[in-house]
């Protein structure tokens, strides 16, 4: 059976999380359908030094304005969707049920079909409107996973912090990985 994941990239800072997730999913033999907002494309290029569609050659990128895409229909089978990083603008639009772009429509399809939707907000601090939007999405079935890496695995470089967040995203999707060392209670086994 084909394993297919949708990855949405928005204009929030933190494109390195998307870059790592795309590369990890492809390395685990997942088919990846990518959607980037116009600002997501700009921020990704600025932060990662390359166009988003150069991040991983095997990702199938779809235009955010193409509502005729298969991703706009619940009959097109996927195993879920991740929006990483997720801007507060996109998060608010998702929470309101908007579907006027492919990324937003794919998120609505993911929720209505009861497939996993993982939203990775990167901005901070949150205001009450943003928190209420997160709550609304969580009540609709999304997992809200802020880009807040842990430190119990004793990270030594930025990649370790990024891998912790991406690993937690994969955990939410039930995808096995070895991106970070799991907490075991410390002590001699550490």
């Amino acid at each position: 059976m084909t394993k297919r994941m949708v990855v949405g990239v928005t204009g929030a800072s933190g494109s390195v999380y998307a870059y790592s997730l795309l590369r990890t999913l492809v390395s685990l033999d997942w088919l990846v359908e990518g959607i980037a907002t116009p600002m997501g494309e700009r921020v990704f290029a600025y932060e990662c030094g390359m166009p988003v569609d150069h991040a991983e050659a095997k990702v199938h990128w779809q235009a955010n304005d193409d509502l005729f895409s298969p991703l706009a229909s619940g009959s097109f089978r996927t195993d879920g969707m991740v929006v990483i990083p997720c801007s507060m603008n996109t998060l608010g639009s998702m929470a309101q049920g908007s579907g006027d772009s492919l990324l937003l429509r794919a998120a609505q399809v993911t929720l209505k079909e009861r497939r996993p939707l993982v939203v990775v907000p990167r901005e901070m601090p949150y205001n009450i409107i943003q928190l209420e939007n997160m709550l609304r999405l969580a009540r609709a079935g999304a997992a809200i996973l802020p880009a807040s890496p842990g430190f119990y695995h004793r990270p030594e470089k930025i990649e370790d912090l990024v891998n912790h967040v991406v690993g937690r995203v994969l955990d939410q999707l039930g995808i096995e990985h070895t991106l970070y060392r799991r907490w075991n209670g410390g002590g001699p086994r550490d």
Side-chain angles (χ1 to χ4, degrees):
M1 183 168 174
T2 302
K3 303 179 298 186
R4 184 185 314 267
M5 188 64 57
V6 180
V7 176
V9 179
T10 75
S13 181
S15 297
V16 66
Y17 295 113
Y19 181 65
S20 178
L21 178 64
L22 294 167
R23 293 177 60 88
T24 301
L25 286 170
V26 168
S27 75
L28 295 171
D29 295 323
W30 281 75
L31 295 176
V32 181
E33 304 286 345
I35 310 166
T37 66
M39 193 53 109
E41 291 178 13
R42 289 183 67 186
V43 173
F44 192 98
Y46 179 79
E47 291 184 349
C48 296
M50 71 183 86
V52 70
D53 60 354
H54 286 79
E56 175 52 58
K58 293 183 179 179
V59 173
H60 180 239
W61 289 98
Q62 302 203 28
N64 194 37
D65 63 355
D66 183 8
L67 292 175
F68 207 67
S69 163
L71 299 179
S73 173
S75 67
F76 185 76
R77 300 292 302 167
T78 69
D79 294 286
M81 180 174 182
V82 181
V83 183
I84 182 170
C86 186
S87 69
M88 288 301 139
N89 182 56
T90 299
L91 191 142
S93 295
M94 287 190 300
Q96 299 308 313
S98 177
D100 61 358
S101 71
L102 182 57
L103 190 148
L104 295 174
R105 176 64 186 156
Q108 297 309 317
V109 165
T110 301
L111 288 173
K112 82 177 184 67
E113 297 295 330
R114 304 277 193 253
R115 298 174 189 149
L117 173 63
V118 180
V119 178
V120 184
R122 214 288 316 142
E123 300 171 30
M124 64 175 172
Y126 304 130
N127 66 40
I128 191 71
I129 295 167
Q130 295 162 337
L131 291 168
E132 287 174 349
N133 284 336
M134 287 183 222
L135 180 59
R136 188 169 190 173
L137 276 175
R139 285 183 174 146
I144 308 300
L145 197 148
S148 303
F151 292 86
Y152 55 82
H153 61 292
R154 297 186 181 136
E156 296 179 4
K157 52 191 182 265
I158 291 175
E159 181 183 13
D160 297 334
L161 297 171
V162 170
N163 284 343
H164 186 264
V165 171
V166 172
R168 297 294 288 155
V169 168
L170 296 175
D171 289 347
Q172 289 295 308
L173 298 165
I175 299 173
E176 292 296 321
H177 65 88
T178 57
L179 289 177
Y180 67 91
R181 189 168 40 101
R182 296 182 183 280
W183 175 249
N184 65 12
R189 294 178 292 169
D190 196 18

